Amino acid sequence: MNEIIQLLQNHRSIRKFTDQAVTVEQLKDILVSAQAASTSSNMQAYSVIHVSDSELKSQLAAFAGNQNYVSECPVFLVWCADLQRYSQASHQHADTPISGNAENFIIATVDAALAAQNAAIAAESLGLGVVYIGGLRNKPAEVSQLLGLPQLVYPIFGMCIGVPDQEPLQRPRLPLEAVYHENRYTDNEEAVRQYDETIRDYMNVRTGGKVDTTWSKEMAGKALRPREHMKAFLNSQGFGEV
Amino acid sequence: MNEIIQLLQNHRSIRKFTDQAVTVEQLKDILVSAQAASTSSNMQAYSVIHVSDSELKSQLAAFAGNQNYVSECPVFLVWCADLQRYSQASHQHADTPISGNAENFIIATVDAALAAQNAAIAAESLGLGVVYIGGLRNKPAEVSQLLGLPQLVYPIFGMCIGVPDQEPLQRPRLPLEAVYHENRYTDNEEAVRQYDETIRDYMNVRTGGKVDTTWSKEMAGKALRPREHMKAFLNSQGFGEV
């Protein structure tokens, strides 16, 4: 197994960082690596906002559900799907309206995610740790207003980056055969049952026996928190058909 | 610059492959690396379908707009957003309906994209080349039927993997300052104007002077092909509010 595959397979989210700064050069390596990711028809339909202002970081931490590492991490990035640049460029040549239709929504969301994942790997290769912050979608309108996001742009997730000050256990993933199919989609309920026990053991170890849960129980709990506000928010940002 | 950042920044899409097979061990390294990517609340809301059957590959190549490398590549993967496994797991414990609402749509789309990008990097680290195939979204209903995708699953993109049989030029990206913002979103029209000239030069070299275009012209052309069918397709797959 080569060094890169080792790095990829050794990933764990880091939520506690030392005071050590991320250097300007490191950040540039991270961002240029992000830009090198694949992008649909070279649209590059994303933006990344580096939030360095401590007051803004505190507000974002609150919006994300009081996740203190958002305000305390050395570098906080907000990754956005962005059809605004595409729209402006296109309108230099034609009046064709750029809609935030489902297809364009997918393009921009995927472009941002691919770039962000490259950033995460570049950061980890530099000895830094990262965690994605989906909690920004608790208050997407407030986040958008705070960062001045125009129409056709929305914040997908944040990302904390810094020097790790913890060594968390690695959370086991589903058995490969649960997510992998050959030629045709097939349910694999046995793999999920097996994983339920894996997660029970993992949570038992991680919490010193305090939490007894399984993956499917966690998923049932997650289903109670559906962030139903996202549709109205996306509509208000010009993703009219999402 | 370390080896991993060099690999990330050296990416180019590969559309021509030698006959050399991708080994079972290589494919496993790629897929396990994909699984190690971050995932929202450990939902792992994606599936990957390895299409090894040559008849299926031919049909997918046709659906994708007659992209022959889809049928000719040694390994073709279809990456899907998948809320079906989440739904089944949750329903073991509660009746809470799992909707394909905008939030869950984002979670599943992003989870699949992060996993796929890890797969792409793992493949490149093994000396393989990859290209994403967004063209599957030309005929998403046909792709879904062919692969037996159930409700709450949709194909986002395909991915060809194999030993490169070409060394394409690397397409330049937007200037970093066009996609990067500090603390607040800011338009950077000058960076786009500059990039228009970069792309003009690049296309001139790549086509031996035959194509005179700019990035913004390409974007205006792209706007004429909006894949408006995606919304109705997604609705039919149970992404009811997308």
Side-chain angles (χ1 to χ4, degrees), chain A residues 90-178:
Chain A
S90 173
H91 286 159
Q92 290 180 34
H93 303 282
D95 292 335
T96 321
I98 302 300
S99 87
N101 71 2
E103 166 67 5
N104 286 336
F105 182 76
I106 292 168
I107 286 175
T109 302
V110 169
D111 270 10
L114 300 185
Q117 185 58 10
N118 261 22
I121 292 159
E124 290 179 347
S125 81
L126 294 166
L128 303 171
V130 305
V131 61
Y132 282 85
I133 306 294
L136 292 186
R137 297 196 304 274
N138 290 339
K139 300 280 183 189
E142 290 82 349
V143 170
S144 300
Q145 191 180 16
L146 194 70
L147 302 178
L149 303 189
Q151 288 286 292
L152 295 176
V153 179
Y154 87 92
I156 312 178
F157 45 70
M159 180 183 283
C160 301
I161 307 178
V163 176
D165 194 24
Q166 63 178 178
E167 286 188 59
L169 287 177
Q170 191 175 36
R171 186 159 52 177
R173 295 295 191 234
L174 282 159
L176 177 56
E177 53 270 28

Side-chain angles (χ1 to χ4, degrees), chain A residues 2-5 7-9 11 13 29 31-33 35-39 41-44 46-53 56 82 84-86 88-90 92-93 96 98 101-103 105-107 109-110 113-114 117-118 121-122 125-126 132 137 145-150 153-154 156-157 171 173-176 178-185 187 192 195-196 199 214-217 219-220 222-224 226-228 230-231 234 241-242, chain B residues 2-5 7-9 11 13 29 31-33 35-39 41-44 46-53 56 82 84-86 88-90 92-93 96 98 101-103 105-107 109-110 113-114 117-118 121-122 125-126 132 137 145-150 153-154 156-157 171 173-176 178-185 187 192 195-196 199 215-217 219-220 222-224 226-228 230-231 234 241-242:
Chain A
N2 70 44
E3 181 198 355
I4 296 175
I5 288 177
L7 182 96
L8 294 172
Q9 296 189 4
H11 166 73
S13 295
D29 276 351
L31 293 170
V32 173
S33 297
Q35 287 195 277
S38 289
T39 158
S41 302
N42 199 30
M43 287 171 67
Q44 306 173 67
Y46 67 94
S47 272
V48 54
I49 302 179
H50 175 201
V51 183
S52 57
D53 179 272
L56 291 179
D82 185 344
Q84 166 70 7
R85 193 183 315 111
Y86 165 45
Q88 285 186 345
S90 173
Q92 290 180 34
H93 303 282
T96 321
I98 302 300
N101 71 2
E103 166 67 5
F105 182 76
I106 292 168
I107 286 175
T109 302
V110 169
L114 300 185
Q117 185 58 10
N118 261 22
I121 292 159
S125 81
L126 294 166
Y132 282 85
R137 297 196 304 274
Q145 191 180 16
L146 194 70
L147 302 178
L149 303 189
V153 179
Y154 87 92
I156 312 178
F157 45 70
R171 186 159 52 177
R173 295 295 191 234
L174 282 159
L176 177 56
V179 302
Y180 174 80
H181 315 258
E182 191 154 354
N183 290 318
R184 195 170 173 84
Y185 189 99
D187 277 338
V192 170
Y195 187 55
D196 267 353
I199 287 294
T214 65
W215 184 68
S216 58
K217 277 188 198 167
M219 294 303 103
K222 170 82 187 158
L224 301 172
R227 286 195 186 123
E228 292 287 3
M230 279 303 287
K231 182 180 165 64
L234 289 167
E241 297 179 56
V242 175
Chain B
N2 69 45
E3 182 198 354
I4 297 176
I5 288 177
L7 181 96
L8 294 171
Q9 296 189 3
H11 166 72
S13 295
D29 276 351
L31 293 169
V32 174
S33 298
Q35 287 195 277
S38 290
T39 157
S41 302
N42 199 30
M43 289 171 66
Q44 304 173 69
Y46 68 93
S47 273
V48 55
I49 302 178
H50 175 199
V51 183
S52 56
D53 180 271
L56 291 180
D82 186 343
Q84 167 70 6
R85 192 183 316 111
Y86 165 46
Q88 285 187 345
S90 173
Q92 291 181 34
H93 303 282
T96 321
I98 302 299
N101 71 4
E103 166 67 4
F105 182 76
I106 292 169
I107 285 174
T109 302
V110 169
L114 300 185
Q117 185 58 10
N118 261 21
I121 292 160
S125 82
L126 295 166
Y132 283 85
R137 297 197 304 274
Q145 191 180 15
L146 194 70
L147 303 178
L149 302 188
V153 180
Y154 88 92
I156 312 179
F157 45 70
R171 187 160 49 179
R173 294 297 191 232
L174 281 160
L176 177 56
V179 301
Y180 174 80
H181 315 258
E182 192 152 353
N183 290 316
R184 194 169 175 82
Y185 190 98
D187 277 337
V192 171
Y195 187 56
D196 267 353
I199 288 293
W215 184 68
S216 58
K217 278 187 196 166
M219 294 304 102
K222 171 83 187 157
L224 300 173
R227 287 194 185 123
E228 291 287 5
M230 280 303 288
K231 180 180 167 64
L234 289 167
E241 298 181 54
V242 174

